[in-house]
């Protein structure tokens, strides 16, 4: 073993700094974040919730093909971005659109994939945000590769590799952890455990004490955190990023949260879970938890709440306008970005499509 086994074990209970009623919870290892950091997080949570609701509405209007909502998981979305430096990378999943926007990507560009126009609507190199990954866990290997390259170049880059509980059942997850541990890459694996991989509950995915325990076999230290407590997330993820940046290798963080809405608009969660199961999680809403705490300490008032809501509404309006514009598709784009220099086979395929379209126009 290259690590002390005792240092790999996650805590027996998820770290919580603010309870669901908005009361501070003393913790030996972590203090509460700076008050202004919590205020910034609150403003971002409001924007993320409005973004989620607007995206759902755009699906119903036919402006988006599909939308996997992170409603109720916004604390994870915001915290995993706010702990990063400008030069760090975010590797998101299909459910992390709110995190992508919080990272600074234009909402319309962030939703281009889910509109069905392109595989990605933003420049990954300019934004330091990888394209959203629809296949489970495949992007984790890419994240480790970026982190490894940064380490070889002597750069202070840390990579935040986000995944869900379902991804931990994939081989790519384990391969990524093993490579990252052996080569001590500066990557933070952030599992948003929302209890379901579409319709498969967590109990049917693993028999481990927690998903954070999965790092032990690879020599990766793990930690558990309340995924609806943005204060705890900021501290736990922030500490993990700091350790990774300091050369201590990969970190594994499991956030305990819940997917309160359907997997996507194409899903019917009533077929595999009851409303009674969802109800208790509504009382653990990350926004109300933080708002109660901030109001109780004079850090937030009605005017502030209205101001943040207005800002979020303005962003939603720009989002509606941008996604309401019609786009024109050019079939040649299907072939332009496959290879730097098109192969003979690709040219032949393009000619076939051009011929077929010309025949359609003649009819």
């Amino acid at each position: 073993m290259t690590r002390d086994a005792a240092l790999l074990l996650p805590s027996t209970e998820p770290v919580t700094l603010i309870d669901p009623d908005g009361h501070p919870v003393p913790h030996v290892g972590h203090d509460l974040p700076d008050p202004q950091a919590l205020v910034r997080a609150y403003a971002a949570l409001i924007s993320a919730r409005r973004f989620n609701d607007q995206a759902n509405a755009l699906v119903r209007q036919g402006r988006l093909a599909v939308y996997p909502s992170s409603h109720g998981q916004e604390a994870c979305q915001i915290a995993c971005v706010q702990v990063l430096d400008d030069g760090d990378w975010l590797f998101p999943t299909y459910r992390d659109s709110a995190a992508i926007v919080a990272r600074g990507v234009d909402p319309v560009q962030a939703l281009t994939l889910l509109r069905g126009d392109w595989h990605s609507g933003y420049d990954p190199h300019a934004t330091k945000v990888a394209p959203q990954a629809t296949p489970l866990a495949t992007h984790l290997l890419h994240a480790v590769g970026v982190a490894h390259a940064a380490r070889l170049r002597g750069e202070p880059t840390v990579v935040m590799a986000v995944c869900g509980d379902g991804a931990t059942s994939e081989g790519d997850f384990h391969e990524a952890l093993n490579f990252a541990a052996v080569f001590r890459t500066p990557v933070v694996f952030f599992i948003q455990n929302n209890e379901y991989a579409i319709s498969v509950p967590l109990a049917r995915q693993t028999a481990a004490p927690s998903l954070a325990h999965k790092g032990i076999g690879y020599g990766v230290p793990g930690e558990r955190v309340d995924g609806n407590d943005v204060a705890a997330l900021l501290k736990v993820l922030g500490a993990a990023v700091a350790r990774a940046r300091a050369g201590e290798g990969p970190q594994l963080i499991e956030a305990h949260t819940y997917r309160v809405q359907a997997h996507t608009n194409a899903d019917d969660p009533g077929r595999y879970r009851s409303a009674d199961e969802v109800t208790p999680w509504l009382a653990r809403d990350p926004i109300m938890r933080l708002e109660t705490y901030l109001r109780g300490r004079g850090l937030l008032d009605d005017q502030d709440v209205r101001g943040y809501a207005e800002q979020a509404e303005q962003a939603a309006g720009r989002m509606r306008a941008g996604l309401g514009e019609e786009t024109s598709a050019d079939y040649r784009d299907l072939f332009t970005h496959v290879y730097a220099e098109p192969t003979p086979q690709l040219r032949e395929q393009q000619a076939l499509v051009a011929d077929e379209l010309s025949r359609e126009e003649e009819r």
Side-chain angles (χ1 to χ4, degrees):
M1 293 291 290
T2 58
R3 291 180 181 268
D4 183 344
L7 299 178
L8 302 177
L9 287 170
S11 54
T12 55
E13 294 294 333
V15 175
T16 300
L17 299 180
I18 299 176
D19 70 19
D21 295 323
H23 301 137
V25 179
H27 191 276
V28 175
H30 298 284
D31 296 325
L32 279 163
D34 176 82
Q36 291 309 308
L38 291 177
V39 173
R40 289 195 300 272
Y42 176 81
L45 288 174
I46 295 298
S47 294
R49 176 64 56 86
R50 187 66 188 89
F51 174 86
N52 273 321
D53 291 345
Q54 184 60 66
N56 282 326
L58 289 167
V59 171
R60 294 191 293 271
Q61 296 164 13
R63 294 298 179 180
L64 290 179
V66 66
Y67 185 67
S69 178
S70 59
H71 185 109
Q73 298 177 218
E74 289 93 349
C76 293
Q77 299 285 293
I78 298 307
C80 75
V81 169
Q82 291 196 346
V83 298
L84 297 178
D85 288 348
D86 290 342
D88 295 335
W89 274 80
L90 174 69
F91 273 71
T93 73
Y94 54 82
R95 198 177 299 282
D96 300 319
S97 298
I100 294 171
V101 173
R103 184 67 169 154
V105 176
D106 180 85
V108 176
Q109 294 180 354
L111 291 171
T112 297
L113 167 68
L114 299 175
R115 190 181 189 182
D117 288 349
W118 282 93
H119 293 299
S120 178
Y122 51 88
D123 183 346
H125 295 283
T127 59
K128 296 292 190 294
V129 179
Q132 283 176 282
T134 300
L136 294 187
T138 56
H139 66 301
L140 299 181
L141 291 165
H142 306 156
V144 171
V146 169
H148 184 50
R151 182 171 181 268
L152 291 177
R153 290 194 294 259
E155 299 171 352
T157 302
V158 172
V159 176
M160 181 68 68
V162 187
C163 67
D165 48 287
T168 67
S169 298
E170 298 289 334
D172 288 349
F173 171 83
H174 299 275
E175 292 166 8
L177 258 69
N178 192 52
F179 188 101
V182 170
F183 291 95
R184 300 183 69 81
T185 63
V187 58
V188 176
F189 296 98
F190 180 40
I191 305 170
Q192 295 179 83
N193 175 9
N194 65 16
E195 298 291 334
Y196 280 93
I198 308 183
S199 61
V200 182
L202 184 65
R204 301 295 294 176
Q205 298 181 64
T206 181
S210 77
L211 297 179
H213 279 79
K214 290 182 179 290
I216 297 173
Y218 302 103
V220 178
E223 184 55 287
R224 305 168 66 195
V225 60
D226 185 336
N228 287 20
D229 178 7
V230 74
L233 283 159
L234 287 171
K235 296 300 287 190
V236 170
L237 286 171
V241 168
R243 290 192 298 271
R245 200 183 310 280
E248 296 183 28
Q251 312 290 313
L252 177 61
I253 308 299
E254 176 189 5
H256 294 262
T257 184
Y258 192 80
R259 198 196 75 214
V260 298
Q261 294 187 343
H263 175 69
T264 68
N265 52 289
D267 175 41
D268 177 12
R271 298 179 62 182
Y272 53 84
R273 69 181 188 189
S274 68
D276 291 341
E277 179 183 321
V278 180
T279 300
W281 283 94
L282 300 179
R284 304 174 192 174
D285 184 83
I287 296 178
M288 292 310 302
R289 179 187 302 209
L290 183 57
E291 181 175 325
T292 301
Y293 174 82
L294 293 175
R295 282 181 179 274
R297 275 138 193 86
L299 298 169
L300 192 72
D301 58 26
D302 289 343
Q303 183 177 350
D304 296 326
V305 171
R306 287 193 298 269
Y308 295 135
E310 289 172 4
Q311 292 174 16
E313 189 57 46
Q314 291 171 6
R318 293 191 295 270
M319 182 175 158
R320 286 194 302 273
L323 289 166
E325 297 178 359
E326 297 295 338
T327 59
S328 57
D330 187 337
Y331 77 92
R332 287 168 294 192
D333 289 338
L334 291 170
F335 306 94
T336 301
H337 303 289
V338 179
Y339 293 104
E341 182 64 32
T343 64
Q345 293 86 351
L346 204 61
R347 294 183 188 277
E348 180 182 356
Q349 292 169 13
Q350 182 172 343
L352 288 172
V353 174
D355 180 65
E356 181 66 26
L357 290 175
S358 66
R359 292 171 184 270
E360 288 290 335
E361 291 175 356
E362 294 173 358
R363 293 175 184 173

